Amino acid sequence: MRRLFPAALALAALVLTGCAQDFDKGPAGRVTDKVKDGKKFYLVVDPAKGGKAKGAAGEKFRVSKYDYHDCNRGAKYPKCVDD
């Protein structure tokens, strides 16, 4: 029994560490679109100063589901993640 508890504790720590999602941050700019593809979440950010780049659709990058829900269209990225 004494050996079982530390092993279970180590396994729980390993599982919790594996649950954290760490994606690269995308470019700074305004969120122009949000895309959900199954269990994957994406933001589309327009890095232009004016908010709308002429002829460009913006950059699409993967984010965690929490960042996806925290960032609304028109919000400044990455500030919407840090709030």
Side-chain angles (χ1 to χ4, degrees):
M1 185 71 174
R2 285 185 172 181
R3 292 182 185 171
L4 184 60
F5 182 71
L9 189 60
L11 180 63
L14 241 159
V15 169
L16 290 176
T17 304
C19 292
Q21 294 178 340
D22 188 26
F23 300 106
D24 292 334
K25 285 201 173 195
R30 294 252 180 220
V31 177
T32 57
D33 199 10
K34 296 167 67 169
V35 181
K36 182 178 174 187
D37 182 18
K39 291 186 178 183
K40 296 178 183 176
F41 301 91
Y42 298 91
L43 291 179
V44 179
V45 171
D46 181 6
K49 289 183 180 179
K52 293 274 185 189
K54 294 179 182 174
E59 291 192 41
K60 178 179 171 183
F61 55 95
R62 190 169 175 192
V63 295
S64 71
K65 69 178 178 180
Y66 304 107
D67 293 345
Y68 177 85
H69 292 295
D70 287 345
C71 293
N72 296 314
R73 288 176 184 88
K76 288 184 180 180
Y77 182 85
K79 186 176 180 341
C80 57
V81 174
D82 298 331
D83 286 342

